[in-house]
Amino acid sequence: MVHYARYRPRLPDEVVQLLVQELVGVHAPTLLDLGAGTGQVALSMLPALPRTAHLDLVDQDQGMLGTALDELQPHLGGHTATVHAIPAEEFAPAQPAYQADLITCCRAFHWMVRPAVLAMASRVAAPQAAVAVMGDGSMWTHPAEWTAALKGLIQSHRGEDRRAGTTGTHREPGRRYEDDLADSAFSDIIEHRIPFTRAWTPPSVLVYLRSTSFARPDLFADRPGFEEQVQALLLQHAQDGLLHEDGVFTVLLARRPGASR
């Protein structure tokens, strides 16, 4: 879990600034992060949040949330954080007057019962709150030469289908996230597309792969042999020891109609 937390990419600075703008003027904002995993959103945003901010992290994986708290603890300062090991749609705050000032969901919306999650969000969101559904794809979908070669190597071991979850294969969502949002209380939607560049080293790619559903360790009978092949492939493609990933981080910011921006 620690490797997952430290090698999963965090939010680009431009995305953090976009989200923080949603909290301007809120004295003690509450950030509700759904599908929080090991805390990439919280860790990215923490330095930019006012000291009075509170963070609620929701994920059904208790182990990931434990790691998130461990990673957050040294950086909390005056901030407070609470974890909730439940499915996102089941989140129900203990305080009757609870209101989330910003609700985020990064790289996780496709796993969720989306109409139920958005109905929950409507119950707990402050009147002016925004819902941010975000993502940037993965190495499986990135079109660089080295990622295409890496995908081919994985497929040579596991077949054409992309593995997902613990037992199944990946299936694209049946409808667009924009359509899910349009059918919810948060039907005023603006899409932001923010270019980014990341630099990986071959060892960091190897650790990242262990945290993915499509290349997790238990999928390979000869994991050491597979990782040797990955290492050789990455070294072949690296330039000055680095592998570059140029992509686009998409943020769907959705509000209730008539809510001020």
Side-chain angles (χ1 to χ4, degrees), residues 111-215:
W111 295 113
M112 298 179 181
V113 183
R114 299 194 294 275
V117 168
L118 292 169
M120 177 279 296
S122 181
R123 292 193 295 271
V124 304
Q128 310 304 320
V131 173
V133 177
M134 307 176 284
D136 54 353
S138 74
M139 286 183 187
W140 186 274
T141 57
H142 185 64
E145 183 178 340
W146 69 273
T147 52
L150 179 60
K151 175 181 174 180
L153 176 60
I154 295 168
Q155 288 175 317
S156 73
H157 284 262
R158 296 301 313 173
E160 291 293 314
D161 287 340
R162 173 181 172 179
R163 300 290 170 154
T166 57
T167 58
T169 56
H170 178 77
R171 293 290 180 268
E172 292 297 326
R175 67 199 312 240
R176 302 182 312 152
Y177 297 160
E178 293 92 328
D179 297 330
D180 292 318
L181 290 164
D183 286 343
S184 76
F186 305 94
S187 58
D188 183 0
I189 309 159
I190 293 181
E191 179 184 63
H192 300 265
R193 293 176 60 83
I194 300 172
F196 67 86
T197 297
R198 295 192 189 108
W200 299 81
T201 63
S204 68
V205 173
L206 274 174
V207 178
Y208 166 81
L209 288 177
R210 293 171 190 157
S211 75
T212 67
S213 56
F214 60 79

